[in-house]
Amino acid sequence: MKEDNVLSLTADAATAADAGLPMTGLTQPEVTSESILALILRSLDDNKAEEVVQIDLRGKTSVCDHMVICSGRSSRQVSALSQKLVEDLKHELGVPSKIEGQETGDWVLIDTGDVVVHVFRPEVREFYQLEKMWMPMGKVAQSPA
């Protein structure tokens, strides 16, 4: 009986793993913090995030290379923006993300390792003012062009 084409890639990977060989099939090119950042900014723009700000943290902290802060108009939009972003990262770059706060939709944190994204309702964003905390003294947060 012939194996289904859909399962053949999975079967090849399982066979290779059992034999201690590298897996064959589709490979993902090296994913950099810049490629993750570019996808995040595109996804947020495509899905109508508001007041998107990116902060370059390279050399300033070991937590991440970049931070992105944006707003959604409502709790529902904040949750939807976050969910869509996590899906885009997984499907387009194969990047797993940790997500916190999606249930309430006030402040959602998405951690990709190299890039941390904060999606806020406007009132919550104004209260915490993360841009002021992470931007150098006297500098204004830059919105991506």
Side-chain angles (χ1 to χ4, degrees), residues 5-6 18 58 60 70 107 125 131:
N5 288 337
V6 175
D18 287 341
R58 291 174 288 190
K60 297 175 186 152
C70 67
W107 175 2
R125 183 176 182 176
E131 291 97 328

Side-chain angles (χ1 to χ4, degrees), residues 2-16 24-25:
K2 190 171 181 173
E3 185 177 9
D4 187 343
N5 288 337
V6 175
L7 298 176
S8 63
L9 184 59
T10 304
D12 289 343
T15 303
T24 59

Side-chain angles (χ1 to χ4, degrees), residues 19-99:
L21 301 170
M23 294 187 290
T24 59
L26 300 174
T27 58
Q28 195 70 12
E30 178 96 14
V31 178
T32 64
S33 62
E34 286 75 23
S35 62
I36 294 170
L37 177 63
L39 176 78
I40 288 169
L41 295 174
R42 189 183 76 228
S43 177
L44 292 173
D45 184 55
D46 289 349
N47 293 293
K48 310 290 190 250
E50 297 180 346
E51 299 181 45
V52 179
V53 173
Q54 74 181 65
I55 303 170
D56 187 348
L57 297 175
R58 291 174 288 190
K60 297 175 186 152
T61 180
S62 60
V63 173
C64 60
D65 292 339
H66 302 279
M67 182 180 294
V68 176
I69 303 170
C70 67
S71 298
R73 290 181 299 277
S74 65
S75 295
R76 177 177 249 163
Q77 187 188 21
V78 167
S79 293
L81 281 167
S82 304
Q83 185 60 42
K84 180 66 172 138
L85 178 56
V86 168
E87 290 172 8
D88 289 348
L89 286 163
K90 183 178 178 185
H91 294 296
E92 293 186 35
L93 295 178
V95 174
S97 303
K98 295 178 185 142
I99 186 167

